[in-house]
Amino acid sequence: MAELLPDNVELVRSPNCQLPEDRYLGGSRRSLRRIGSLMAWVQCFASYAAIVGAAHPHRMTDLWAYLRLIVQEAQRHGGDGWRSYDILFRKLASSNSSLTWDQAHPSIYTTSFLAARSSAPTTCLLCLETDHTMAECALAPTMPLAPA
């Protein structure tokens, strides 16, 4: 999906581009830039959904549900679990056309979000939410409290 990043579109068209499947070739070819943020992924996925939706309009509901799933889970769990889930899910979907995109795949979800979370939990002790730390919490005092 990195081919859909604006910086990579021209690079893909050039003869010196190294696609992920070409890595074994080595040489001095330029590599595609990775999708580094959730926002960049959303932009790429929106392009992907538009392309797929033009040919298969019936799939749009599932694709938008998938986008919502990725964004919600990224906000809920933080970290890079969303990226791992997306890569694993799309690999599985490429070999299984009957896979539905509108629901989380249980084993991939567990591997990507829950297993990673158990190794590095993040919980705000002020509001008990799991998507940020105390330092990032909106309820955190802006000035240190004066000693009593």
Side-chain angles (χ1 to χ4, degrees), residues 102-137:
D102 63 340
Q103 297 175 355
H105 188 279
S107 63
I108 296 174
Y109 184 93
T110 301
T111 302
S112 301
F113 293 114
L114 302 181
R117 184 175 176 179
S118 66
S119 64
T122 301
T123 302
C124 174
L125 298 176
L126 292 172
C127 66
L128 301 178
E129 289 292 331
T130 58
D131 63 344
H132 61 272
T133 64
M134 275 183 22
E136 301 162 332
C137 186

Side-chain angles (χ1 to χ4, degrees), residues 69-133:
L69 170 77
I70 294 293
V71 170
Q72 284 178 337
E73 297 308 320
Q75 291 174 334
R76 179 178 293 144
H77 299 288
D80 280 343
W82 63 270
R83 185 187 335 266
S84 172
Y85 181 90
D86 176 56
I87 292 168
L88 292 171
F89 184 86
R90 285 187 295 112
K91 282 182 182 178
L92 181 61
S94 70
S95 63
N96 181 356
S97 61
S98 66
L99 195 61
T100 59
W101 288 59
D102 63 340
Q103 297 175 355
H105 188 279
S107 63
I108 296 174
Y109 184 93
T110 301
T111 302
S112 301
F113 293 114
L114 302 181
R117 184 175 176 179
S118 66
S119 64
T122 301
T123 302
C124 174
L125 298 176
L126 292 172
C127 66
L128 301 178
E129 289 292 331
T130 58
D131 63 344
H132 61 272
T133 64

